[in-house]
Amino acid sequence: MKIVVLDGYTLNPGDLSWDELRSLGECEIHDRTPREEVVKRAADAEIVLTNKAPVTRESILALPKLKYIGVLATGYNIVDVAAARERNIPVTNVPTYGTKSVAQHTFALLLELAQHVGHHAQTVRDGRWTKCADFCYWDYPLVELDGLTMGIVGFGRIGKAAADLALAFGMKVLATSATPKHAPANIQLTDLTTLFRQSDVISLHCPLTPQTKNLLNNERLALMKPTAFLLNTSRGPLIDEHALADALNSGRIAGAAVDVLSVEPPPAGNPLLRAKNCLVTPHIAWATRAARSRLMQIAIANVRAFIAGEPENVVN
């Protein structure tokens, strides 16, 4: 079978190997594919792998040889799964590769908000400590996490991993989930309103659905403590970005740190890029080498299973 990877660069910028995938068939790997080039590049492919290159209904209908679509990520909204199902084309994803890495990045963001390590290290590099009249200085309030309450919105795999880290820091944990779940005795399941009112740190770990779009809006921001931090390593459209920027710039909440935005890459006018005490990282929570290696192995295993007639991780 001919295999075409539409956009493989973010998964493998050169530190991993495609050799195992190449062993499964004729393989053509593109770093990136513009939307208008998808059909041309996948014209002879029976197997297509994509991360963010869209495989639309029109593309699927224009690719008569296509038999399988593999998404190199957990989210699969980049593929018209209904159109694929109509042609009996399985669509697969990679659901579990990045749990620990995303939880780790969540706490990297939180620790930067709490300690401003990067900022203060840069001031030392700039010579400020050398010229300081005192043995120390700090430019922001330094926040101890022990004893604070962390609210986890979305108590799935990543939410649970973030909760474990919060507990290790001595934090109390509230959590909310769209589906009832059993929680350990040291984690309290509650409703969204209570979570937003009582939490010192709120971390979003839920999928993007019509119900969760703009979950963080003016109404919920008004519930938050003025000393609270907001974290998002899930999906950008969970946040009304203008509402959050207004809350930050007016001091209604203390800070925010996000790894995802509503449009990626963001336009220069995105209000969070210049909002007060807002950290933005370029969607890298998933991108540790260990996580990308797991993603590649699972994606290739998905292809192997399809070729064997027993597809796994099918989402449609």
Side-chain angles (χ1 to χ4, degrees):
M1 289 190 175
K2 181 172 181 180
I3 303 166
V4 171
V5 180
L6 293 174
D7 53 347
Y9 183 81
T10 51
L11 169 58
N12 179 18
D15 56 348
L16 302 176
S17 171
W18 292 107
D19 287 351
E20 189 176 350
L21 184 66
R22 289 191 172 100
S23 74
L24 300 179
E26 180 188 352
C27 198
E28 187 177 294
I29 298 168
H30 301 277
D31 283 348
R32 303 166 189 87
T33 295
R35 178 186 292 264
E36 62 273 15
E37 292 288 314
V38 167
V39 171
K40 179 182 177 181
R41 290 184 175 179
D44 296 323
E46 292 147 298
I47 293 173
V48 165
L49 302 183
T50 184
N51 190 331
K52 295 295 183 288
V55 183
T56 62
R57 175 176 289 272
E58 292 73 23
S59 299
I60 291 167
L61 294 176
L63 296 170
K65 295 184 179 180
L66 185 62
K67 297 179 179 177
Y68 169 92
I69 302 169
V71 181
L72 301 172
T74 301
Y76 50 88
N77 59 309
I78 204 71
V79 176
D80 191 323
V81 293
R85 184 171 59 245
E86 290 166 14
R87 280 195 48 200
N88 201 30
I89 297 171
V91 179
T92 68
N93 73 337
V94 183
T96 60
Y97 71 94
T99 301
K100 297 296 185 182
S101 290
V102 176
Q104 175 179 299
H105 192 78
T106 298
F107 264 78
L109 293 175
L110 176 54
L111 289 169
E112 184 62 25
L113 283 175
Q115 299 287 152
H116 297 275
V117 171
H119 164 80
H120 289 106
Q122 185 60 49
T123 66
V124 171
R125 183 177 288 271
D126 292 341
R128 182 171 160 192
W129 198 14
T130 303
K131 302 170 185 175
C132 187
D134 302 302
F135 76 94
C136 69
Y137 61 88
W138 56 93
D139 293 334
Y140 298 90
L142 304 180
V143 179
E144 184 175 277
L145 299 180
D146 184 73
L148 298 185
T149 297
M150 186 167 195
I152 307 286
V153 181
F155 200 53
R157 286 182 296 267
I158 297 173
K160 290 176 181 175
D164 288 342
L165 293 177
L167 293 170
F169 274 91
M171 301 181 78
K172 303 169 186 175
V173 177
L174 302 177
T176 185
S177 174
T179 56
K181 288 182 172 68
H182 173 73
N186 51 2
I187 295 174
Q188 180 184 342
L189 291 178
T190 188
D191 60 275
L192 271 175
T193 298
T194 301
L195 184 144
F196 271 83
R197 281 179 172 155
Q198 295 186 3
S199 297
D200 300 293
V201 179
I202 295 170
S203 191
L204 305 182
H205 296 287
C206 50
L208 177 62
T209 67
Q211 293 71 38
T212 62
K213 185 176 181 181
N214 285 340
L215 178 144
L216 187 85
N217 52 24
N218 277 315
E219 180 182 354
R220 292 202 172 95
L221 284 161
L223 298 174
M224 293 175 64
K225 299 177 182 180
T227 55
F229 294 141
L230 175 80
L231 312 173
N232 187 15
T233 53
S234 188
R235 293 290 182 265
L238 297 175
I239 292 175
D240 179 334
E241 292 169 340
H242 287 278
L244 177 57
D246 288 345
L248 290 164
N249 292 331
S250 64
R252 285 187 282 126
I253 67 170
V258 301
D259 186 52
V260 287
L261 293 171
S262 58
V263 177
E264 298 173 349
N270 186 299
L272 294 184
L273 299 181
R274 279 171 289 280
K276 181 181 176 182
N277 206 18
C278 184
L279 306 174
V280 181
T281 52
H283 204 144
I284 57 172
W286 71 285
T288 63
R289 190 182 189 282
R292 288 185 293 106
S293 180
R294 282 191 295 272
L295 191 160
M296 180 175 280
Q297 290 303 311
I298 297 168
I300 293 171
N302 284 347
V303 173
R304 194 185 301 278
F306 166 72
I307 293 172
E310 299 178 351
E312 299 175 347
N313 295 315
V314 177
V315 297
N316 67 331

